[in-house]
Amino acid sequence: MEQAFGEVNQLGGVFVNGRPLPNPIRLRIVELAQLGIRPCDISRQLRVSHGCVSKILARYNETGSILPGAIGGSKPRVTTPTVVKHIRDYKQRDPGIFAWEIRDRLLAEAVCDKYNVPSVSSISRILRNKIGGLSQPSQYEAGSSVKPPAPVVSYGALYAYPNPLAHGPTTKGHNGVMPPGMALPAMAGSHGFPRSWPSSYTVSDILGFRTAVEQQGLLPMADGAAYTAKVEEWGAMGRAAFAGPAQSVNGIGKVTAEAELKFSQAHSALPAVSSFVSASSLGSYPGAPSQVQYVQYGAPTGPGFIAGPGGGWQAQHGGRLSPHGVTISSGDLHFKAMAGRTPRVSDMLPRKS
DNA sequence: TTCGTTACGGTTGAA
DNA sequence: TCTTCAACCGTAACG
């Protein structure tokens, strides 16, 4: 149960083992780095390990995204309908063909490349399971009215991820982050996003969120006030705050922003969970694990605001903004470490080296 | 002192 | 429904 409240690292920061840092913190790391703050100072100020800071900044530099990669899931299947169709064709033309010959032909005819060609055992399995009855065409065969399942799968209520299937290979494997500049269509339901979301969040993309919510008058804002929140809300906070595609309010992301705003509105009716305390208050970091104060992160509110000195945000047209936090509504999407999860057998076994 | 790297224990979700 | 597997996470420690 203690895990529900997270753990405290050597710097006094709170984290949930196995779970990404909340997006506001990730965002703040990037913001501070862009302001010229050294990673070691960011690490100390935000109480995040320097390895983590280094990793997030490296990822941001590489991809332009502050978002964590997609956790869990499996590799995209290499035995696509097209591949199966070719295998079937080869088998029909030459019933005595070996699996390794099929594999070679898939490569030779550029149906697959060396990275996605099915293994011989996979081909054998296809021959056995899918092409055993050659008279029966695949349900996914060209011309069939039955379409293969869409690769877009909900990744949980508020935690969608890039969909490399839809956007080509990435450097991070099946669920890696998306290259910069990618934008995805929104598919925001009130409780589910497609796995594909724009990992190409730039800082400015993300920063539109608060503006939209504030403009709706949906969330309480408390300038300079230190909100408190239980760590069990951490995950929901991070997810909900940046749950959808391109919340930019400028240009490119605008098409999707509307749908995302609807989402925000839908959830804003739920109890609001606010997040952070100012960095300056970190000195009094509470030891009690049941209630933890977070760094309160300033966030620009879209076009018209610029980063001000000291990490706050300043309206381009005038007054300096208070560094109040990113406030989100968690609704029924509370996150708990372990979340009452039933221990698995694998949990009790020694890990492989 | 700073920072990149990596082992580790953990979570997650498709198959 | 449960298990397996392979992805990801952040921390801590090392160099």
Side-chain angles (χ1 to χ4, degrees):
Chain A
M1 282 306 273
E2 300 90 329
Q3 289 252 352
F5 301 106
E7 302 168 40
V8 178
N9 62 25
Q10 291 176 335
L11 299 171
V14 176
F15 70 100
V16 179
N17 199 3
R19 300 298 299 142
L21 285 176
N23 285 335
I25 293 181
R26 310 175 76 90
L27 174 60
R28 191 67 176 143
I29 289 170
V30 172
E31 285 174 359
L32 292 175
Q34 289 181 338
L35 290 173
I37 311 287
R38 291 180 307 173
C40 58
D41 293 328
I42 297 172
S43 171
R44 280 192 289 263
Q45 181 175 345
L46 300 184
R47 304 194 177 201
V48 172
S49 66
H50 96 263
C52 182
V53 171
S54 174
K55 188 174 175 179
I56 288 171
L57 290 177
R59 180 194 293 269
Y60 177 75
N61 289 331
E62 183 182 348
T63 70
S65 170
I66 66 159
L67 298 177
I71 300 173
S74 300
K75 291 181 180 179
R77 297 170 59 182
V78 296
T79 55
T80 63
T82 300
V83 171
V84 173
K85 183 174 184 295
H86 277 86
I87 293 173
R88 183 190 301 110
D89 286 346
Y90 300 152
K91 189 68 177 178
Q92 282 175 334
R93 283 185 230 154
D94 180 4
I97 193 170
F98 291 115
W100 62 267
E101 291 176 304
I102 291 175
R103 189 172 189 272
D104 286 350
R105 288 187 66 173
L106 288 170
L107 286 170
E109 297 181 13
V111 176
C112 305
D113 59 34
K114 63 181 179 180
Y115 299 108
N116 64 5
V117 65
S119 65
V120 171
S121 61
S122 292
I123 293 171
S124 296
R125 189 171 55 248
I126 291 167
L127 292 171
R128 185 172 62 248
N129 297 340
K130 296 190 177 182
I131 311 181
L134 284 177
S135 61
Q136 294 185 346
S138 162
Q139 62 174 336
Y140 302 148
E141 188 171 12
S144 167
S145 61
V146 180
K147 298 195 172 176
V152 172
V153 177
S154 172
Y155 236 52
L158 284 173
Y159 214 65
Y161 287 95
N163 181 0
L165 289 177
H167 300 277
T170 74
T171 59
K172 285 294 190 175
H174 78 282
N175 54 6
V177 294
M178 193 183 303
M182 290 288 201
L184 293 170
M187 237 184 73
S190 32
H191 289 291
F193 284 99
R195 178 166 181 159
S196 53
W197 77 338
S199 71
S200 61
Y201 273 119
T202 61
V203 172
S204 58
D205 285 337
I206 290 171
L207 298 179
F209 170 78
R210 186 164 156 270
T211 299
V213 175
E214 275 189 73
Q215 284 173 348
Q216 296 296 316
L218 296 170
L219 296 175
M221 303 307 295
D223 274 8
Y227 288 154
T228 59
K230 285 189 285 189
V231 172
E232 69 181 72
E233 288 151 346
W234 175 289
M237 166 192 69
R239 296 175 188 196
F242 303 99
Q247 284 134 355
S248 167
V249 293
N250 53 5
I252 297 174
K254 194 172 182 180
V255 173
T256 61
E258 187 177 351
E260 295 312 313
L261 181 57
K262 289 176 184 173
F263 172 81
S264 300
Q265 289 172 326
H267 280 266
S268 64
L270 298 166
V273 176
S274 50
S275 40
F276 311 101
V277 299
S278 64
S280 61
S281 69
L282 283 172
S284 58
Y285 200 87
S290 59
Q291 272 208 325
V292 179
Q293 292 182 312
Y294 299 125
V295 179
Q296 181 171 346
Y297 297 104
T301 54
F305 294 99
I306 59 174
W313 295 95
Q314 199 163 11
Q316 285 176 330
H317 53 74
R320 178 177 169 82
L321 291 177
S322 302
H324 45 57
V326 176
T327 304
I328 57 94
S329 57
S330 68
D332 54 351
L333 296 165
H334 286 230
F335 169 81
K336 287 184 180 180
M338 297 300 285
R341 167 177 161 268
T342 304
R344 303 171 184 177
V345 173
S346 60
D347 293 335
M348 304 170 205
L349 296 175
R351 289 177 62 86
K352 289 178 292 189
S353 58

mmCIF file of all heavy atoms in Angstrom, chain A residues 114-160:
data_model
loop_
_atom_site.group_PDB
_atom_site.id
_atom_site.type_symbol
_atom_site.label_atom_id
_atom_site.label_comp_id
_atom_site.label_asym_id
_atom_site.label_seq_id
_atom_site.Cartn_x
_atom_site.Cartn_y
_atom_site.Cartn_z
ATOM 1 N N LYS A 114 14.907 -7.116 -44.473
ATOM 2 C CA LYS A 114 15.545 -7.991 -43.490
ATOM 3 C C LYS A 114 15.066 -7.713 -42.066
ATOM 4 O O LYS A 114 15.259 -8.511 -41.165
ATOM 5 C CB LYS A 114 17.065 -7.848 -43.563
ATOM 6 C CG LYS A 114 17.568 -6.460 -43.225
ATOM 7 C CD LYS A 114 19.074 -6.413 -43.350
ATOM 8 C CE LYS A 114 19.593 -5.021 -43.037
ATOM 9 N NZ LYS A 114 21.065 -4.941 -43.139
ATOM 10 N N TYR A 115 14.454 -6.560 -41.892
ATOM 11 C CA TYR A 115 14.012 -6.210 -40.540
ATOM 12 C C TYR A 115 12.624 -6.733 -40.220
ATOM 13 O O TYR A 115 12.269 -6.864 -39.059
ATOM 14 C CB TYR A 115 14.033 -4.690 -40.367
ATOM 15 C CG TYR A 115 15.399 -4.094 -40.530
ATOM 16 C CD1 TYR A 115 15.707 -3.346 -41.658
ATOM 17 C CD2 TYR A 115 16.381 -4.317 -39.571
ATOM 18 C CE1 TYR A 115 16.974 -2.804 -41.812
ATOM 19 C CE2 TYR A 115 17.643 -3.777 -39.715
ATOM 20 C CZ TYR A 115 17.940 -3.023 -40.844
ATOM 21 O OH TYR A 115 19.195 -2.493 -40.990
ATOM 22 N N ASN A 116 11.845 -6.959 -41.241
ATOM 23 C CA ASN A 116 10.480 -7.373 -40.921
ATOM 24 C C ASN A 116 10.082 -8.675 -41.600
ATOM 25 O O ASN A 116 8.904 -9.012 -41.641
ATOM 26 C CB ASN A 116 9.475 -6.263 -41.263
ATOM 27 C CG ASN A 116 9.416 -5.958 -42.750
ATOM 28 O OD1 ASN A 116 10.053 -6.629 -43.553
ATOM 29 N ND2 ASN A 116 8.662 -4.947 -43.112
ATOM 30 N N VAL A 117 11.064 -9.340 -42.142
ATOM 31 C CA VAL A 117 10.708 -10.613 -42.749
ATOM 32 C C VAL A 117 10.376 -11.627 -41.654
ATOM 33 O O VAL A 117 11.050 -11.694 -40.624
ATOM 34 C CB VAL A 117 11.863 -11.122 -43.647
ATOM 35 C CG1 VAL A 117 13.093 -11.445 -42.830
ATOM 36 C CG2 VAL A 117 11.408 -12.323 -44.459
ATOM 37 N N PRO A 118 9.321 -12.379 -41.827
ATOM 38 C CA PRO A 118 8.970 -13.352 -40.794
ATOM 39 C C PRO A 118 10.048 -14.423 -40.683
ATOM 40 O O PRO A 118 10.720 -14.753 -41.660
ATOM 41 C CB PRO A 118 7.650 -13.950 -41.299
ATOM 42 C CG PRO A 118 7.144 -12.999 -42.329
ATOM 43 C CD PRO A 118 8.346 -12.342 -42.919
ATOM 44 N N SER A 119 10.164 -14.954 -39.502
ATOM 45 C CA SER A 119 11.107 -16.045 -39.317
ATOM 46 C C SER A 119 10.567 -17.294 -40.007
ATOM 47 O O SER A 119 9.381 -17.389 -40.340
ATOM 48 C CB SER A 119 11.294 -16.319 -37.828
ATOM 49 O OG SER A 119 10.072 -16.774 -37.278
ATOM 50 N N VAL A 120 11.457 -18.237 -40.186
ATOM 51 C CA VAL A 120 11.037 -19.493 -40.797
ATOM 52 C C VAL A 120 9.951 -20.149 -39.962
ATOM 53 O O VAL A 120 8.971 -20.678 -40.491
ATOM 54 C CB VAL A 120 12.257 -20.432 -40.944
ATOM 55 C CG1 VAL A 120 11.813 -21.825 -41.368
ATOM 56 C CG2 VAL A 120 13.239 -19.862 -41.950
ATOM 57 N N SER A 121 10.111 -20.053 -38.670
ATOM 58 C CA SER A 121 9.092 -20.675 -37.815
ATOM 59 C C SER A 121 7.762 -19.936 -37.947
ATOM 60 O O SER A 121 6.697 -20.556 -37.916
ATOM 61 C CB SER A 121 9.552 -20.695 -36.361
ATOM 62 O OG SER A 121 9.754 -19.388 -35.894
ATOM 63 N N SER A 122 7.827 -18.638 -38.106
ATOM 64 C CA SER A 122 6.583 -17.901 -38.296
ATOM 65 C C SER A 122 5.913 -18.314 -39.606
ATOM 66 O O SER A 122 4.697 -18.480 -39.668
ATOM 67 C CB SER A 122 6.858 -16.399 -38.321
ATOM 68 O OG SER A 122 7.271 -15.959 -37.066
ATOM 69 N N ILE A 123 6.727 -18.458 -40.633
ATOM 70 C CA ILE A 123 6.171 -18.862 -41.927
ATOM 71 C C ILE A 123 5.557 -20.253 -41.817
ATOM 72 O O ILE A 123 4.468 -20.519 -42.337
ATOM 73 C CB ILE A 123 7.265 -18.813 -43.013
ATOM 74 C CG1 ILE A 123 7.687 -17.358 -43.228
ATOM 75 C CG2 ILE A 123 6.777 -19.435 -44.303
ATOM 76 C CD1 ILE A 123 8.907 -17.200 -44.110
ATOM 77 N N SER A 124 6.255 -21.104 -41.103
ATOM 78 C CA SER A 124 5.706 -22.448 -40.907
ATOM 79 C C SER A 124 4.366 -22.380 -40.188
ATOM 80 O O SER A 124 3.422 -23.102 -40.526
ATOM 81 C CB SER A 124 6.682 -23.295 -40.085
ATOM 82 O OG SER A 124 7.887 -23.481 -40.789
ATOM 83 N N ARG A 125 4.307 -21.528 -39.211
ATOM 84 C CA ARG A 125 3.060 -21.398 -38.461
ATOM 85 C C ARG A 125 1.946 -20.844 -39.353
ATOM 86 O O ARG A 125 0.802 -21.283 -39.272
ATOM 87 C CB ARG A 125 3.266 -20.493 -37.252
ATOM 88 C CG ARG A 125 2.086 -20.476 -36.306
ATOM 89 C CD ARG A 125 2.392 -19.741 -35.012
ATOM 90 N NE ARG A 125 2.861 -18.384 -35.245
ATOM 91 C CZ ARG A 125 4.092 -17.949 -34.990
ATOM 92 N NH1 ARG A 125 4.986 -18.770 -34.501
ATOM 93 N NH2 ARG A 125 4.438 -16.697 -35.237
ATOM 94 N N ILE A 126 2.324 -19.907 -40.200
ATOM 95 C CA ILE A 126 1.329 -19.354 -41.113
ATOM 96 C C ILE A 126 0.835 -20.445 -42.051
ATOM 97 O O ILE A 126 -0.362 -20.580 -42.296
ATOM 98 C CB ILE A 126 1.943 -18.185 -41.915
ATOM 99 C CG1 ILE A 126 2.191 -17.002 -40.975
ATOM 100 C CG2 ILE A 126 1.035 -17.775 -43.056
ATOM 101 C CD1 ILE A 126 3.077 -15.935 -41.578
ATOM 102 N N LEU A 127 1.779 -21.204 -42.557
ATOM 103 C CA LEU A 127 1.397 -22.276 -43.473
ATOM 104 C C LEU A 127 0.463 -23.262 -42.778
ATOM 105 O O LEU A 127 -0.501 -23.758 -43.368
ATOM 106 C CB LEU A 127 2.647 -23.005 -43.974
ATOM 107 C CG LEU A 127 3.562 -22.200 -44.901
ATOM 108 C CD1 LEU A 127 4.866 -22.946 -45.136
ATOM 109 C CD2 LEU A 127 2.870 -21.892 -46.218
ATOM 110 N N ARG A 128 0.754 -23.505 -41.539
ATOM 111 C CA ARG A 128 -0.016 -24.497 -40.792
ATOM 112 C C ARG A 128 -1.379 -23.945 -40.390
ATOM 113 O O ARG A 128 -2.404 -24.598 -40.554
ATOM 114 C CB ARG A 128 0.775 -24.906 -39.556
ATOM 115 C CG ARG A 128 0.132 -26.021 -38.748
ATOM 116 C CD ARG A 128 1.079 -26.489 -37.653
ATOM 117 N NE ARG A 128 1.397 -25.427 -36.691
ATOM 118 C CZ ARG A 128 2.596 -24.883 -36.570
ATOM 119 N NH1 ARG A 128 3.601 -25.264 -37.332
ATOM 120 N NH2 ARG A 128 2.797 -23.929 -35.689
ATOM 121 N N ASN A 129 -1.361 -22.719 -39.893
ATOM 122 C CA ASN A 129 -2.588 -22.192 -39.289
ATOM 123 C C ASN A 129 -3.462 -21.414 -40.264
ATOM 124 O O ASN A 129 -4.681 -21.506 -40.218
ATOM 125 C CB ASN A 129 -2.248 -21.283 -38.113
ATOM 126 C CG ASN A 129 -1.542 -22.038 -37.004
ATOM 127 O OD1 ASN A 129 -1.626 -23.260 -36.919
ATOM 128 N ND2 ASN A 129 -0.835 -21.317 -36.159
ATOM 129 N N LYS A 130 -2.829 -20.637 -41.096
ATOM 130 C CA LYS A 130 -3.625 -19.746 -41.931
ATOM 131 C C LYS A 130 -3.802 -20.263 -43.346
ATOM 132 O O LYS A 130 -4.735 -19.878 -44.040
ATOM 133 C CB LYS A 130 -2.963 -18.361 -42.003
ATOM 134 C CG LYS A 130 -2.907 -17.661 -40.674
ATOM 135 C CD LYS A 130 -2.471 -16.221 -40.857
ATOM 136 C CE LYS A 130 -2.472 -15.488 -39.524
ATOM 137 N NZ LYS A 130 -2.111 -14.073 -39.670
ATOM 138 N N ILE A 131 -2.875 -21.072 -43.773
ATOM 139 C CA ILE A 131 -2.922 -21.494 -45.161
ATOM 140 C C ILE A 131 -3.104 -23.001 -45.219
ATOM 141 O O ILE A 131 -3.000 -23.609 -46.264
ATOM 142 C CB ILE A 131 -1.652 -21.040 -45.908
ATOM 143 C CG1 ILE A 131 -1.429 -19.566 -45.622
ATOM 144 C CG2 ILE A 131 -1.781 -21.245 -47.403
ATOM 145 C CD1 ILE A 131 -0.243 -18.968 -46.288
ATOM 146 N N GLY A 132 -3.368 -23.571 -44.112
ATOM 147 C CA GLY A 132 -3.599 -25.005 -44.099
ATOM 148 C C GLY A 132 -4.702 -25.381 -45.066
ATOM 149 O O GLY A 132 -4.593 -26.326 -45.846
ATOM 150 N N GLY A 133 -5.777 -24.608 -45.038
ATOM 151 C CA GLY A 133 -6.837 -24.810 -46.006
ATOM 152 C C GLY A 133 -6.714 -23.755 -47.079
ATOM 153 O O GLY A 133 -7.227 -22.657 -46.963
ATOM 154 N N LEU A 134 -5.981 -24.061 -48.114
ATOM 155 C CA LEU A 134 -5.699 -23.065 -49.127
ATOM 156 C C LEU A 134 -6.940 -22.580 -49.853
ATOM 157 O O LEU A 134 -6.934 -21.514 -50.446
ATOM 158 C CB LEU A 134 -4.707 -23.629 -50.151
ATOM 159 C CG LEU A 134 -3.272 -23.679 -49.665
ATOM 160 C CD1 LEU A 134 -2.403 -24.332 -50.727
ATOM 161 C CD2 LEU A 134 -2.762 -22.304 -49.333
ATOM 162 N N SER A 135 -7.980 -23.340 -49.761
ATOM 163 C CA SER A 135 -9.169 -22.913 -50.472
ATOM 164 C C SER A 135 -9.864 -21.774 -49.762
ATOM 165 O O SER A 135 -10.706 -21.100 -50.326
ATOM 166 C CB SER A 135 -10.142 -24.086 -50.606
ATOM 167 O OG SER A 135 -10.510 -24.529 -49.319
ATOM 168 N N GLN A 136 -9.507 -21.606 -48.502
ATOM 169 C CA GLN A 136 -10.167 -20.553 -47.747
ATOM 170 C C GLN A 136 -9.315 -19.303 -47.740
ATOM 171 O O GLN A 136 -8.240 -19.270 -47.151
ATOM 172 C CB GLN A 136 -10.409 -21.009 -46.301
ATOM 173 C CG GLN A 136 -11.397 -22.139 -46.232
ATOM 174 C CD GLN A 136 -11.709 -22.482 -44.795
ATOM 175 O OE1 GLN A 136 -11.019 -22.056 -43.889
ATOM 176 N NE2 GLN A 136 -12.763 -23.257 -44.587
ATOM 177 N N PRO A 137 -9.759 -18.279 -48.422
ATOM 178 C CA PRO A 137 -8.975 -17.055 -48.431
ATOM 179 C C PRO A 137 -8.963 -16.401 -47.074
ATOM 180 O O PRO A 137 -9.901 -16.546 -46.290
ATOM 181 C CB PRO A 137 -9.703 -16.181 -49.461
ATOM 182 C CG PRO A 137 -11.104 -16.691 -49.459
ATOM 183 C CD PRO A 137 -11.011 -18.156 -49.152
ATOM 184 N N SER A 138 -7.910 -15.710 -46.879
ATOM 185 C CA SER A 138 -7.811 -14.970 -45.629
ATOM 186 C C SER A 138 -8.909 -13.936 -45.543
ATOM 187 O O SER A 138 -9.340 -13.367 -46.529
ATOM 188 C CB SER A 138 -6.454 -14.262 -45.569
ATOM 189 O OG SER A 138 -6.492 -13.243 -44.600
ATOM 190 N N GLN A 139 -9.334 -13.730 -44.340
ATOM 191 C CA GLN A 139 -10.353 -12.699 -44.148
ATOM 192 C C GLN A 139 -9.829 -11.326 -44.489
ATOM 193 O O GLN A 139 -10.577 -10.394 -44.696
ATOM 194 C CB GLN A 139 -10.841 -12.713 -42.706
ATOM 195 C CG GLN A 139 -9.731 -12.410 -41.717
ATOM 196 C CD GLN A 139 -10.245 -12.279 -40.302
ATOM 197 O OE1 GLN A 139 -11.411 -11.969 -40.107
ATOM 198 N NE2 GLN A 139 -9.401 -12.537 -39.335
ATOM 199 N N TYR A 140 -8.513 -11.223 -44.546
ATOM 200 C CA TYR A 140 -7.945 -9.922 -44.807
ATOM 201 C C TYR A 140 -7.502 -9.785 -46.255
ATOM 202 O O TYR A 140 -6.878 -8.829 -46.631
ATOM 203 C CB TYR A 140 -6.739 -9.680 -43.900
ATOM 204 C CG TYR A 140 -7.075 -9.769 -42.445
ATOM 205 C CD1 TYR A 140 -6.145 -10.237 -41.539
ATOM 206 C CD2 TYR A 140 -8.341 -9.401 -41.983
ATOM 207 C CE1 TYR A 140 -6.445 -10.310 -40.190
ATOM 208 C CE2 TYR A 140 -8.639 -9.477 -40.637
ATOM 209 C CZ TYR A 140 -7.688 -9.931 -39.751
ATOM 210 O OH TYR A 140 -7.976 -10.002 -38.417
ATOM 211 N N GLU A 141 -7.790 -10.793 -47.017
ATOM 212 C CA GLU A 141 -7.290 -10.771 -48.370
ATOM 213 C C GLU A 141 -7.839 -9.581 -49.125
ATOM 214 O O GLU A 141 -8.946 -9.117 -48.897
ATOM 215 C CB GLU A 141 -7.706 -12.053 -49.067
ATOM 216 C CG GLU A 141 -7.068 -12.206 -50.423
ATOM 217 C CD GLU A 141 -7.344 -13.592 -50.975
ATOM 218 O OE1 GLU A 141 -8.188 -14.285 -50.414
ATOM 219 O OE2 GLU A 141 -6.715 -13.950 -51.973
ATOM 220 N N ALA A 142 -7.044 -9.146 -50.088
ATOM 221 C CA ALA A 142 -7.478 -8.017 -50.894
ATOM 222 C C ALA A 142 -8.806 -8.335 -51.543
ATOM 223 O O ALA A 142 -9.026 -9.429 -52.062
ATOM 224 C CB ALA A 142 -6.424 -7.717 -51.958
ATOM 225 N N GLY A 143 -9.669 -7.385 -51.503
ATOM 226 C CA GLY A 143 -10.975 -7.590 -52.100
ATOM 227 C C GLY A 143 -11.996 -8.058 -51.092
ATOM 228 O O GLY A 143 -13.202 -7.941 -51.319
ATOM 229 N N SER A 144 -11.512 -8.578 -50.016
ATOM 230 C CA SER A 144 -12.452 -8.991 -48.989
ATOM 231 C C SER A 144 -13.102 -7.777 -48.362
ATOM 232 O O SER A 144 -12.479 -6.733 -48.192
ATOM 233 C CB SER A 144 -11.706 -9.790 -47.914
ATOM 234 O OG SER A 144 -12.520 -9.946 -46.779
ATOM 235 N N SER A 145 -14.327 -7.926 -48.014
ATOM 236 C CA SER A 145 -15.003 -6.803 -47.374
ATOM 237 C C SER A 145 -14.606 -6.686 -45.916
ATOM 238 O O SER A 145 -14.823 -5.672 -45.280
ATOM 239 C CB SER A 145 -16.517 -6.979 -47.478
ATOM 240 O OG SER A 145 -16.895 -8.164 -46.805
ATOM 241 N N VAL A 146 -13.996 -7.751 -45.435
ATOM 242 C CA VAL A 146 -13.577 -7.712 -44.033
ATOM 243 C C VAL A 146 -12.224 -7.044 -43.942
ATOM 244 O O VAL A 146 -11.277 -7.425 -44.614
ATOM 245 C CB VAL A 146 -13.481 -9.142 -43.458
ATOM 246 C CG1 VAL A 146 -13.046 -9.085 -42.010
ATOM 247 C CG2 VAL A 146 -14.828 -9.824 -43.603
ATOM 248 N N LYS A 147 -12.141 -6.062 -43.153
ATOM 249 C CA LYS A 147 -10.878 -5.348 -43.032
ATOM 250 C C LYS A 147 -10.162 -5.781 -41.767
ATOM 251 O O LYS A 147 -10.788 -6.123 -40.780
ATOM 252 C CB LYS A 147 -11.128 -3.844 -43.008
ATOM 253 C CG LYS A 147 -11.779 -3.391 -44.295
ATOM 254 C CD LYS A 147 -11.698 -1.903 -44.440
ATOM 255 C CE LYS A 147 -12.178 -1.516 -45.823
ATOM 256 N NZ LYS A 147 -12.222 -0.077 -45.991
ATOM 257 N N PRO A 148 -8.859 -5.735 -41.845
ATOM 258 C CA PRO A 148 -8.103 -6.079 -40.648
ATOM 259 C C PRO A 148 -8.371 -5.072 -39.565
ATOM 260 O O PRO A 148 -8.725 -3.932 -39.843
ATOM 261 C CB PRO A 148 -6.643 -6.010 -41.118
ATOM 262 C CG PRO A 148 -6.677 -5.133 -42.305
ATOM 263 C CD PRO A 148 -8.016 -5.331 -42.952
ATOM 264 N N PRO A 149 -8.177 -5.522 -38.351
ATOM 265 C CA PRO A 149 -8.416 -4.600 -37.257
ATOM 266 C C PRO A 149 -7.507 -3.400 -37.364
ATOM 267 O O PRO A 149 -6.364 -3.513 -37.758
ATOM 268 C CB PRO A 149 -8.094 -5.422 -35.996
ATOM 269 C CG PRO A 149 -7.399 -6.638 -36.477
ATOM 270 C CD PRO A 149 -7.713 -6.826 -37.923
ATOM 271 N N ALA A 150 -8.075 -2.290 -37.042
ATOM 272 C CA ALA A 150 -7.283 -1.070 -37.096
ATOM 273 C C ALA A 150 -6.140 -1.173 -36.118
ATOM 274 O O ALA A 150 -6.276 -1.700 -35.030
ATOM 275 C CB ALA A 150 -8.164 0.131 -36.739
ATOM 276 N N PRO A 151 -4.996 -0.685 -36.513
ATOM 277 C CA PRO A 151 -3.852 -0.737 -35.613
ATOM 278 C C PRO A 151 -3.981 0.207 -34.453
ATOM 279 O O PRO A 151 -3.229 0.162 -33.523
ATOM 280 C CB PRO A 151 -2.689 -0.316 -36.523
ATOM 281 C CG PRO A 151 -3.328 0.505 -37.593
ATOM 282 C CD PRO A 151 -4.710 -0.070 -37.795
ATOM 283 N N VAL A 152 -4.940 1.077 -34.548
ATOM 284 C CA VAL A 152 -5.101 2.043 -33.471
ATOM 285 C C VAL A 152 -5.899 1.398 -32.357
ATOM 286 O O VAL A 152 -7.028 0.997 -32.526
ATOM 287 C CB VAL A 152 -5.826 3.293 -33.970
ATOM 288 C CG1 VAL A 152 -6.151 4.201 -32.808
ATOM 289 C CG2 VAL A 152 -4.951 4.011 -34.983
ATOM 290 N N VAL A 153 -5.270 1.292 -31.249
ATOM 291 C CA VAL A 153 -5.891 0.642 -30.116
ATOM 292 C C VAL A 153 -5.798 1.552 -28.919
ATOM 293 O O VAL A 153 -4.786 2.183 -28.689
ATOM 294 C CB VAL A 153 -5.168 -0.690 -29.797
ATOM 295 C CG1 VAL A 153 -5.777 -1.330 -28.574
ATOM 296 C CG2 VAL A 153 -5.258 -1.617 -31.003
ATOM 297 N N SER A 154 -6.851 1.612 -28.200
ATOM 298 C CA SER A 154 -6.818 2.451 -27.010
ATOM 299 C C SER A 154 -5.759 1.965 -26.054
ATOM 300 O O SER A 154 -5.639 0.787 -25.788
ATOM 301 C CB SER A 154 -8.173 2.417 -26.316
ATOM 302 O OG SER A 154 -8.081 3.083 -25.086
ATOM 303 N N TYR A 155 -5.015 2.872 -25.559
ATOM 304 C CA TYR A 155 -3.928 2.533 -24.663
ATOM 305 C C TYR A 155 -4.294 2.893 -23.249
ATOM 306 O O TYR A 155 -3.488 3.309 -22.463
ATOM 307 C CB TYR A 155 -2.663 3.265 -25.092
ATOM 308 C CG TYR A 155 -1.518 2.379 -25.350
ATOM 309 C CD1 TYR A 155 -1.643 1.294 -26.193
ATOM 310 C CD2 TYR A 155 -0.296 2.620 -24.741
ATOM 311 C CE1 TYR A 155 -0.560 0.490 -26.446
ATOM 312 C CE2 TYR A 155 0.786 1.811 -24.991
ATOM 313 C CZ TYR A 155 0.648 0.755 -25.849
ATOM 314 O OH TYR A 155 1.734 -0.041 -26.095
ATOM 315 N N GLY A 156 -5.524 2.752 -22.930
ATOM 316 C CA GLY A 156 -5.940 3.174 -21.613
ATOM 317 C C GLY A 156 -6.633 4.511 -21.721
ATOM 318 O O GLY A 156 -6.556 5.199 -22.718
ATOM 319 N N ALA A 157 -7.294 4.841 -20.690
ATOM 320 C CA ALA A 157 -8.199 5.972 -20.747
ATOM 321 C C ALA A 157 -7.552 7.253 -21.237
ATOM 322 O O ALA A 157 -8.115 7.979 -22.032
ATOM 323 C CB ALA A 157 -8.818 6.188 -19.378
ATOM 324 N N LEU A 158 -6.386 7.519 -20.745
ATOM 325 C CA LEU A 158 -5.831 8.826 -21.063
ATOM 326 C C LEU A 158 -4.381 8.766 -21.458
ATOM 327 O O LEU A 158 -3.705 9.763 -21.448
ATOM 328 C CB LEU A 158 -5.966 9.741 -19.847
ATOM 329 C CG LEU A 158 -7.348 10.268 -19.626
ATOM 330 C CD1 LEU A 158 -7.393 11.014 -18.320
ATOM 331 C CD2 LEU A 158 -7.778 11.167 -20.758
ATOM 332 N N TYR A 159 -3.929 7.668 -21.837
ATOM 333 C CA TYR A 159 -2.509 7.565 -22.069
ATOM 334 C C TYR A 159 -2.270 6.947 -23.420
ATOM 335 O O TYR A 159 -1.917 5.803 -23.557
ATOM 336 C CB TYR A 159 -1.885 6.712 -20.969
ATOM 337 C CG TYR A 159 -0.505 7.162 -20.597
ATOM 338 C CD1 TYR A 159 -0.321 8.411 -20.024
ATOM 339 C CD2 TYR A 159 0.591 6.368 -20.808
ATOM 340 C CE1 TYR A 159 0.939 8.833 -19.654
ATOM 341 C CE2 TYR A 159 1.849 6.793 -20.429
ATOM 342 C CZ TYR A 159 2.012 8.020 -19.858
ATOM 343 O OH TYR A 159 3.258 8.428 -19.485
ATOM 344 N N ALA A 160 -2.462 7.736 -24.389
ATOM 345 C CA ALA A 160 -2.245 7.245 -25.729
ATOM 346 C C ALA A 160 -0.800 7.453 -26.120
ATOM 347 O O ALA A 160 -0.106 8.275 -25.563
ATOM 348 C CB ALA A 160 -3.162 7.977 -26.682
#
